[in-house]
Amino acid sequence: QKEVEQDPGPLSVPEGAIVSLNCTYSNSAFQYFMWYRQYSRKGPELLMYTYSSGNKEDGRFTAQVDKSSKYISLFIRDSQPSDSATYLCAMSVRDSSYKLIFGSGTRLLVRP
Amino acid sequence: EPEVTQTPSHQVTQMGQEVILRCVPISNHLYFYWYRQILGQKVEFLVSFYNNEISEKSEIFDDQFSVERPDGSNFTLKIRSTKLEDSAMYFCASSTIGQRPEKLFFGSGTQLSVL
């Protein structure tokens, strides 16, 4: 079983739609959960992070963690064409929190 | 906004040659990292560097790889004798101190092509 699994997409939605992106993981030692956005020919950019089960909201973005199910989600409300990018989930353990284990990324396309 | 700068954006080399990938981290950051992404695969951790020494490295980071902070601003990754399988996008990242988890700022990457 892979440590972090993420559907590669692509996911195509109309502008204004609510987008749901998900990852599952197998390592119960993961303590930190992050979402990165990567535009074409750019490096990953941190969107959100959380370290506990539950929801965390930042503007149009909501990160959700369910440690009991080993499942994390990122919701994007009122999606915009500028949200079109690859979204990477990443996780790390407490003692090496900089050593990120990435998912394969989901490519999102928001159609005007 | 401060950013991590990587040069060159694309490097082509012959198998067996040495390459040096360069990075200028954000100026007040103290932790530095290299990650890589082989085409079609996940971004994966290579090495972390703090206080002029390697703090952690992955199994990928064998004796062919080395890192250095030659001066106060640059951070380099050297591959001594490149192999075909070293072809990948190499990302440099940096973070400040005192945060958990560390917030990593990534550069735009150097695409290394080994022929």
Side-chain angles (χ1 to χ4, degrees):
Chain A
Q1 187 180 11
K2 294 178 182 174
E3 270 199 301
V4 180
E5 298 210 48
Q6 185 175 9
D7 187 334
L11 180 62
S12 180
V13 301
E15 184 176 351
I18 296 174
V19 175
S20 171
L21 304 165
N22 312 294
C23 286
T24 59
Y25 63 95
S26 58
N27 188 352
S28 56
F30 286 140
Q31 293 290 313
Y32 303 112
F33 305 91
M34 287 142 277
W35 286 95
Y36 281 80
R37 178 174 61 196
Q38 187 175 21
Y39 290 114
S40 180
R41 285 187 283 277
K42 292 287 191 182
E45 171 197 8
L46 181 64
L47 274 179
M48 298 189 70
Y49 73 88
T50 183
Y51 46 83
S52 58
S53 283
N55 293 356
K56 182 177 180 181
E57 195 172 312
D58 184 1
R60 295 185 296 112
F61 299 91
T62 299
Q64 193 173 78
V65 174
D66 182 347
K67 287 187 177 180
S68 61
S69 302
K70 297 191 178 69
Y71 189 88
I72 70 169
S73 300
L74 178 71
F75 299 96
I76 307 174
R77 286 184 299 283
D78 187 25
S79 56
Q80 303 295 308
S82 58
D83 294 328
S84 298
T86 296
Y87 290 79
L88 304 162
C89 64
M91 309 177 189
S92 61
V93 300
R94 180 180 299 275
D95 293 336
S96 295
S97 55
Y98 49 78
K99 186 179 172 182
L100 305 179
I101 310 300
F102 281 90
S104 54
T106 299
R107 200 153 58 90
L108 172 66
L109 174 64
V110 181
R111 307 186 307 272
Chain B
E1 189 171 313
E3 59 179 21
V4 175
T5 306
Q6 288 187 245
T7 54
S9 57
H10 197 175
Q11 173 96 44
V12 181
T13 189
Q14 296 291 324
M15 192 169 57
Q17 295 295 303
E18 174 183 287
V19 293
I20 297 177
L21 309 183
R22 302 180 192 280
C23 169
V24 178
I26 293 173
S27 61
N28 64 341
H29 284 185
L30 297 175
Y31 285 88
F32 314 110
Y33 316 90
W34 285 99
Y35 281 75
R36 79 172 186 188
Q37 185 174 26
I38 294 171
L39 186 65
Q41 297 187 23
K42 298 178 181 181
V43 177
E44 52 189 352
F45 171 81
L46 290 179
V47 66
S48 60
F49 189 87
Y50 170 69
N51 202 25
N52 279 321
E53 59 183 32
I54 290 173
S55 49
E56 187 169 355
K57 59 184 181 180
S58 72
E59 314 79 57
I60 304 164
F61 195 90
D62 61 23
D63 293 342
Q64 293 299 314
F65 291 89
S66 61
V67 289
E68 193 179 35
R69 189 152 161 82
D71 53 44
S73 59
N74 290 285
F75 179 52
T76 61
L77 173 69
K78 183 195 289 187
I79 308 175
R80 241 178 298 279
S81 177
T82 50
K83 307 192 252 305
L84 295 176
E85 54 265 36
D86 294 328
S87 295
M89 178 73 88
Y90 288 81
F91 293 108
C92 172
S94 67
S95 66
T96 187
I97 198 166
Q99 264 185 334
R100 188 66 69 90
E102 288 82 352
K103 182 178 178 182
L104 270 62
F105 289 79
F106 284 85
S108 294
T110 294
Q111 179 66 56
L112 176 65
S113 300
V114 182
L115 307 179

